[in-house]
Amino acid sequence: MSQNATGTRVLKSWDEKDFTEADGRKLTSSAIAYSYTGAIEGDGVQQYVMFYRAEDSTTFVGLEQIVGRLGGRSGSFVLQHTGELTGDTAEVTWTVVPGSGTGELAGLTGTGGFTATHEEAGNATYRLDYSFE
C-alpha cells in the first residue's frame, strides 16, 4: 500500500564550484545540506552536477542521502534527483534508489519531488509517494 509523505525541506548550506566552461555554458558541482520536517524528519546531504545553458536555464542531476525518520520508521535512504531550473523556479523529481534503505527503511521504494523558487531561498514543500517491498 502506497503512502504519501509531505513536509518542508530547509536549505542549510550550498557550496557550488565550476569545473568546466565553454562558450558561456558551464558545468558545476554542488555540495548541499538540508534539514527535513514533516513526514520525513532528519538531515540530507547531496551532490548535484549542473549544466548551465544560459543565465536562466539549468539542468541538473544528483544523489541525496537522508538520515532520520520516514513515517515513524528510522534509518536512511538515497534519492536520485533530476531537475530543471528556468528563471527563478526549479522543478525537481525524485526516485528512491533501489536497495538504498537501511534500518527500518529497508525495502523503501518511491517517487516524488518539489518545486522551489529563489524567493524561498532554496526551501520547499516536498512530496514522496512511497511503499515497502
Side-chain angles (χ1 to χ4, degrees):
M1 180 172 133
S2 183
Q3 298 181 54
N4 304 89
T6 61
T8 303
R9 64 193 312 252
V10 175
L11 178 65
K12 292 170 49 178
S13 66
W14 184 294
D15 182 24
E16 185 171 343
K17 293 181 175 38
D18 295 356
F19 64 88
T20 187
E21 184 172 347
D23 297 325
R25 292 162 177 83
K26 66 181 177 178
L27 288 171
T28 68
S29 63
S30 300
I32 309 161
Y34 288 97
S35 62
Y36 285 83
T37 58
I40 300 172
E41 297 176 8
D43 294 303
V45 293
Q46 76 183 63
Q47 288 283 322
Y48 271 156
V49 174
M50 306 176 79
F51 171 60
Y52 288 82
R53 280 182 295 281
E55 280 187 33
D56 65 348
S57 179
T58 306
T59 297
F60 50 92
V61 296
L63 294 172
E64 176 180 16
Q65 184 174 46
I66 298 173
V67 177
R69 300 179 66 77
L70 169 61
R73 296 181 182 209
S74 63
S76 68
F77 60 97
V78 175
L79 295 172
Q80 180 177 322
H81 292 232
T82 58
E84 190 76 25
L85 173 66
T86 305
D88 289 341
T89 303
E91 295 285 340
V92 179
T93 58
W94 287 340
T95 302
V96 175
V97 174
S100 68
T102 67
E104 295 174 317
L105 299 177
L108 178 67
T109 63
T111 60
F114 61 92
T115 300
T117 66
H118 284 269
E119 289 178 2
E120 297 168 312
N123 304 328
T125 299
Y126 65 81
R127 68 192 181 291
L128 178 66
D129 299 322
Y130 68 96
S131 59
F132 292 90
E133 297 180 332

